[in-house]
Amino acid sequence: MKFLDSRVTRRFPIFWFAFHGAIILAFLISLAVARPVCFNTSLFDILPPSHSLKSVSKADSALSSATSRAITVLSYAEDFSIAKDAAVQLYGRYTSASLSEQKISLSEQENSAGKYASFFEDISLFVDAAATAELTDFLFTNRFVLQDKETVSLLEKDDAAQVAEDSLSRIFGAFTLSDFSLLEADPFDLTGGTLTRFLSAAGTSGTMSVKDDVLACQKDGVWYVMIRGTLTPESISLAGKKSAVKDIFSACEQISARRGAQFAFSGVPFHSYESSSAAQRQVSVISTIGILLVVLLFLYLFRSAIPALVSAGAVVFSCGMALGTVLLFFREIHILTFVFGTTLIGTCVDYSIHFFVHWKGDVAVADGFEIRKKILRGIGISFTSTEICFVALFFAPFPFLKQVSVFLFTGLLSAFLCVICLYPFIRLPKKRLLHPLLLVRMKNMPVFLSVAEKSFFRKLLRIVPLVFFMLALGLLAVNRNSLKIDNNLRDMYTMSGHLLESEKITAQVLDYGSAGWYFLVEGETEEDVLQTEEAFSARLEQAKLDGKLETFLATTNFIPSQKTQKRSYRASASLIPLAKNQYENLGFPATLADSFSAEYTAAKNKFVFPQSEVPAILQSVTKNLWLGEIDGRYYSCVLPLHTTDESYFRALAADFSNVHFVNKVADIGTELNALTAMMLKLLAGAFIVVLGLLFFCYPVKTVLRIALIPILVVVVTISILPACHLPLGFFSVTGLVLTFGLGLDYIIYAVEGEKSDGRLNRIAILVSFATTALSFGALALINFAPVHTIGLTVFVGLTTACVGAFAKR
């Protein structure tokens, strides 16, 4: 450390400018050459992937990307016209279609109609004749290859006469969907039969039916009208003025006030918005109050505005550098990363506190460079140990914690460089006295520290860690059955009151019957996936007969494999000999049979594929079922409805090598359990690395004394978790990793203080603890369970570490 006596130390600002200049320059260049930066507010992006297989995980992510942007809004009132009118007003705000296409009269049209159409990839309200006609035309064109299995089976058994008879019954029946204008070209009503099957297979709107060109239903005397849509990625990732959900909430509130209808909302975007908005509000409040309290504390203790303003400025600047670095490397930052960023308020200011305590109260130093020389060893070792723990978080295999790691690492490094490179140039004050509360002495000690210096109280203080340890062991013994690694996704988020009520209303009205489970089907080619899905669907049909589920959605319910389409085409040939008689029964000229035969011949080798042009009404059903090509393989989703026996369906999928059962909640919990165990190993690894570092700095006896504190912290913190009804989960273990790095600071400061002015050092430790505990303690007040858990864990751990540091001095 002799180099600190040279003039080189006055050139330290070069390091500060080089580090921060590099970040700023790289960030500015990235704005010009890389993709735009953005803010992520998705609730589920803080969680790891839900499947261990990499390829299936990507397919699951692709599915989640689409379904996590889907929303449903129900407009409801006792009067149908009021419910529909409110739905029309909301729909008109978000569609750029013409007035005639929207079926909205000019008197009903809002001035803002279509203004916010960019919020949606698609949005639907009306189900009119044009949409049905488009589907009918599609089915008519492909009628020979899209026959259902029962019809194909009859045709293959030379029972075409039964098919002809059934078609006549359907055509002349009281209730029919047949388009009579097509009978001249489709005498067996193949189109009408397929249309009936398609609408039955797509019947996932619960009790909804078409009324006055919209999907509506009446339940308990109340009419419900449904709007469905998919938000764009840009509108869902924002929580400000460009947030689609915020605008929907605002628009619905205004429409309700004018029209008298109410609205219910369902979909992940609404929950993401609620959680991120709450987090933003709480972060803003916590950050503002935290910085304000730190400033007030500094003014109170140092009786000068310089420490308060400089420290607050350093924290804000360090947070800015941390934000820029995260955006530089990830091109996005999750809003909850800012929640963890608030911890920098307390952590970064520790170094400022140690500097300014000597700056104000150490009359033995002549300038700031002597202060830096006094404190550099202590804050340097503590800085290194803390950064090691922040680096450990980077090895967690999902982006959110990597962002947190980079944010904290960069922010702390920036704050450290501010203290050692810039602070020494601050002129010493003329009055070198701390606040009188710290200066009322008993035998040269501050009054609140002098008591602890007395022999009796010193011995008593030294047994406090032992008392903590014994109490912790007692709590662990009492709650031993609760002490296990457990990550339940359902416990990590609690719906707000109005969203919970909305979801209840939507579930009761629509009655989709989805349990949150689904199957992912994979294959080398598109045809492989479709054939596998058909084989699996046959097993699901048997499950329906066994009462295991009510129905299911699959791509092959609408677009079968090419193999099946060829079979349908070949089977349809048996209708050709019956065509003349069929036309006569319908009252058409028998000569039309030649045209029917010619159309059949022309349809040879013309097949339908999932990614081909399909009607919008059909695409709205299949878009979340057919995932298509992902990294050279093809995927689809099969969704079982109205079922509860999870183990049965897991076993069912296990019989197929290319079918994977996915229960996102359970699978993510399993992934988090594995990651929790991994984080415990990272904690042990960080502990070993830090101890190795300390062996180069201190005698073996001192290192062993320091090592006892983290052990005490871990035992005490783990014992508190079950008492607070918190599991030993991923986020509590993440808190332990942070606690380990931060808690070591106090014992290191205490050890270093034994070599210098112990009084000033202990003052600095207490003030440092107050600011850091304030930051993490504030996190414990946030409602979002993961953040609350980390905040509480770190607060308890830091309190234990501080007590241990004073006891071990």
Side-chain angles (χ1 to χ4, degrees):
M1 304 292 283
K2 291 183 179 180
F3 74 94
L4 291 176
D5 295 329
S6 70
R7 295 180 180 179
V8 175
T9 60
R10 297 182 180 271
R11 299 176 183 174
F12 271 21
I14 295 175
F15 299 113
W16 187 92
F17 283 108
F19 173 74
H20 294 95
I23 292 178
I24 295 172
L25 180 62
F27 179 71
L28 292 176
I29 293 175
S30 74
L31 292 178
V33 300
R35 63 185 175 90
V37 298
C38 63
F39 291 84
N40 187 346
T41 62
S42 175
L43 172 67
F44 297 104
D45 280 357
I46 68 169
L47 301 172
S50 63
H51 206 288
S52 58
L53 295 178
K54 184 177 180 180
S55 59
V56 178
S57 176
K58 290 184 178 180
D60 183 43
S61 297
L63 177 63
S64 297
S65 176
T67 56
S68 66
R69 293 184 283 114
I71 66 168
T72 298
V73 179
L74 294 180
S75 169
Y76 61 95
E78 293 184 358
D79 189 319
F80 170 75
S81 62
I82 294 177
K84 180 188 175 183
D85 180 65
V88 166
Q89 292 296 326
L90 184 64
Y91 173 77
R93 183 180 179 88
Y94 301 110
T95 180
S96 57
S98 67
L99 296 180
S100 60
E101 289 174 326
Q102 294 178 24
K103 294 186 177 293
I104 305 172
S105 69
L106 187 60
S107 60
E108 293 173 326
Q109 182 67 10
E110 297 284 337
N111 292 330
S112 60
K115 181 179 179 181
Y116 303 96
S118 60
F119 284 161
F120 284 85
E121 281 187 357
D122 59 76
I123 182 171
S124 62
L125 169 64
F126 298 106
V127 183
D128 54 16
T132 305
E134 183 186 14
L135 177 60
T136 301
D137 290 343
F138 170 79
L139 298 180
F140 171 75
T141 303
N142 300 285
R143 61 192 182 281
F144 295 113
V145 296
L146 294 180
Q147 296 308 300
D148 60 81
K149 288 180 288 187
E150 291 76 12
T151 300
V152 170
S153 179
L154 287 172
L155 295 175
E156 288 178 334
K157 294 177 181 178
D158 295 327
D159 203 358
Q162 182 63 50
V163 175
E165 184 178 335
D166 290 343
S167 67
L168 291 173
S169 299
R170 187 167 57 250
I171 292 169
F172 294 112
F175 302 97
T176 179
L177 293 174
S178 302
D179 186 343
F180 296 115
S181 65
L182 300 176
L183 291 181
E184 288 190 31
D186 186 16
F188 298 97
D189 192 30
L190 300 179
T191 303
T194 307
L195 178 61
T196 301
R197 177 171 59 85
F198 267 40
L199 294 179
S200 175
T204 59
S205 298
T207 56
M208 289 284 171
S209 59
V210 178
K211 178 178 172 60
D212 196 11
D213 293 332
V214 297
L215 282 176
C217 75
Q218 188 178 37
K219 185 178 181 63
D220 298 329
V222 177
W223 279 100
Y224 297 86
V225 177
M226 181 169 67
I227 298 176
R228 290 176 293 185
T230 304
L231 301 178
T232 62
E234 295 77 18
S235 66
I236 196 177
S237 64
L238 298 170
K241 294 181 179 179
K242 296 183 180 180
S243 166
V245 172
K246 181 178 181 181
D247 189 78
I248 291 170
F249 282 154
S250 176
C252 288
E253 185 177 350
Q254 295 173 23
I255 294 172
S256 293
R258 292 195 305 268
R259 307 292 180 179
Q262 301 298 314
F263 291 90
F265 311 93
S266 179
V268 171
F270 296 111
H271 301 285
S272 293
Y273 174 80
E274 285 279 300
S275 61
S276 62
S277 296
Q280 280 182 304
R281 290 193 300 269
Q282 292 169 349
V283 167
S284 299
V285 172
I286 287 172
S287 300
T288 303
I289 294 178
I291 293 179
L292 180 61
L293 289 178
V294 168
V295 169
L296 292 177
L297 180 62
F298 273 49
L299 290 174
Y300 180 76
L301 294 179
F302 301 114
R303 294 187 297 176
S304 170
I306 292 178
L309 295 178
V310 169
S311 299
V315 169
V316 173
F317 183 79
S318 298
C319 288
M321 289 297 100
L323 171 62
T325 305
V326 172
L327 292 176
L328 174 64
F329 286 103
F330 298 97
R331 310 311 297 168
E332 72 170 22
I333 185 168
H334 197 283
I335 188 64
L336 288 181
T337 301
F338 284 111
V339 175
F340 292 92
T342 61
T343 63
L344 285 174
I345 296 173
T347 308
C348 294
V349 85
D350 283 358
Y351 308 136
S352 295
I353 290 170
H354 281 270
F355 181 90
F356 284 114
V357 163
H358 288 274
W359 178 83
K360 185 69 174 179
D362 191 348
V363 295
V365 296
D367 55 31
F369 298 97
E370 287 191 26
I371 296 176
R372 180 177 64 191
K373 183 178 179 180
K374 272 193 170 186
I375 68 173
L376 183 58
R377 177 182 168 90
I379 67 173
I381 296 174
S382 68
F383 163 77
T384 304
S385 64
T386 303
E387 292 287 56
I388 288 173
C389 294
F390 289 164
V391 168
L393 290 179
F394 189 82
F395 290 97
F398 59 100
F400 171 65
L401 275 188
K402 291 182 184 293
Q403 286 187 15
V404 172
S405 172
V406 171
F407 193 100
L408 295 178
F409 183 93
T410 306
L412 194 64
L413 176 56
S414 175
F416 179 76
L417 290 176
C418 287
V419 172
I420 67 170
C421 296
L422 302 183
Y423 281 25
F425 291 91
I426 301 175
R427 295 181 60 181
L428 297 181
K430 295 180 179 180
K431 294 184 178 180
R432 307 288 298 283
L433 294 174
L434 292 169
H435 190 276
L437 178 62
L438 301 176
L439 299 174
V440 177
R441 303 184 180 184
M442 294 180 180
K443 297 182 179 179
N444 267 353
M445 297 302 299
V447 64
F448 64 92
L449 292 176
S450 62
V451 175
E453 292 300 309
K454 294 184 177 180
S455 177
F456 171 76
F457 290 104
R458 188 187 308 164
K459 293 178 181 178
L460 184 63
L461 185 61
R462 286 180 177 176
I463 68 170
V464 170
L466 179 61
V467 174
F468 275 27
F469 186 76
M470 297 305 296
L471 290 175
L473 291 181
L475 283 175
L476 290 176
V478 172
N479 298 299
R480 60 185 180 277
N481 294 329
S482 302
L483 190 63
K484 59 182 179 181
I485 294 178
D486 182 29
N487 292 277
N488 190 337
L489 192 60
R490 292 186 177 90
D491 294 336
M492 295 182 186
Y493 170 66
T494 302
M495 294 185 196
S496 63
H498 80 98
L499 273 186
L500 178 60
E501 186 63 26
S502 285
E503 290 288 2
K504 287 180 179 179
I505 292 173
T506 306
Q508 291 171 359
V509 172
L510 301 184
D511 192 26
Y512 282 145
S514 174
W517 314 332
Y518 51 90
F519 304 93
L520 291 176
V521 183
E522 65 172 330
E524 293 288 342
T525 65
E526 191 175 87
E527 181 67 7
D528 287 341
V529 173
L530 293 175
Q531 290 191 27
T532 301
E533 189 179 284
E534 286 176 335
F536 184 65
S537 294
R539 295 288 297 274
L540 292 179
E541 290 291 349
Q542 182 60 47
K544 287 171 62 176
L545 297 176
D546 294 338
K548 295 295 185 179
L549 79 161
E550 185 174 306
T551 187
F552 63 92
L553 284 176
T555 302
T556 49
N557 288 354
F558 311 96
I559 304 175
S561 67
Q562 188 173 334
K563 177 182 177 182
T564 299
Q565 292 183 54
K566 287 180 179 180
R567 179 186 172 194
S568 174
Y569 179 81
R570 289 192 302 267
S572 298
S574 62
L575 294 172
I576 303 298
L578 303 179
K580 288 184 179 181
N581 185 59
Q582 187 75 354
Y583 275 116
E584 290 176 350
N585 290 332
L586 292 172
F588 292 110
T591 55
L592 291 176
D594 294 334
S595 298
F596 179 75
S597 178
E599 288 197 26
Y600 172 79
T601 302
K604 186 177 181 179
N605 296 325
K606 292 182 178 180
F607 305 107
V608 181
F609 302 96
Q611 292 179 317
S612 60
E613 291 294 328
V614 296
I617 192 173
L618 180 58
Q619 191 177 48
S620 67
V621 178
T622 61
K623 68 177 181 179
N624 291 330
L625 299 176
W626 183 253
L627 305 180
E629 183 182 2
I630 301 174
D631 287 349
R633 292 180 67 82
Y634 290 82
Y635 299 88
S636 71
C637 172
V638 177
L639 180 63
L641 301 175
H642 296 284
T643 181
T644 57
D645 193 348
E646 178 182 349
S647 59
Y648 175 88
F649 290 99
R650 281 191 182 275
L652 194 64
D655 292 339
F656 294 79
S657 60
N658 287 333
V659 177
H660 307 275
F661 179 89
V662 179
N663 181 342
K664 209 170 186 68
V665 172
D667 290 351
I668 289 179
T670 301
E671 294 289 338
L672 285 175
N673 287 343
L675 288 172
T676 301
M678 186 195 76
M679 291 299 290
L680 288 172
K681 294 177 182 178
L682 287 176
L683 177 61
F687 182 60
I688 293 172
V689 171
V690 170
L691 285 184
L693 171 67
L694 294 178
F695 275 118
F696 285 99
C697 302
Y698 302 110
V700 173
K701 183 178 179 181
T702 302
V703 173
L704 294 178
R705 190 179 74 172
I706 294 174
L708 291 176
I709 299 300
I711 296 173
L712 174 67
V713 167
V714 169
V715 173
V716 172
T717 305
I718 290 179
S719 70
I720 291 295
L721 293 177
C724 296
H725 306 289
L726 294 174
L728 181 60
F730 177 77
F731 293 100
S732 56
V733 172
T734 300
L736 279 177
V737 174
L738 292 173
T739 302
F740 173 74
L742 299 172
L744 272 175
D745 292 355
Y746 303 132
I747 186 63
I748 291 172
Y749 294 149
V751 170
E752 288 296 314
E754 295 172 356
K755 304 175 183 179
S756 58
D757 190 336
R759 177 181 65 89
L760 291 177
N761 196 275
R762 287 189 290 277
I763 292 173
I765 292 174
L766 281 175
V767 178
S768 296
F769 167 72
T771 56
T772 307
L774 174 67
S775 298
F776 281 99
L779 292 185
L781 301 178
I782 290 181
N783 295 330
F784 190 50
V787 179
H788 167 78
T789 299
I790 290 180
L792 181 63
T793 302
V794 176
F795 177 78
V796 172
L798 290 182
T799 302
T800 305
C802 185
V803 172
F806 274 89
K808 289 293 181 181
R809 61 189 176 84

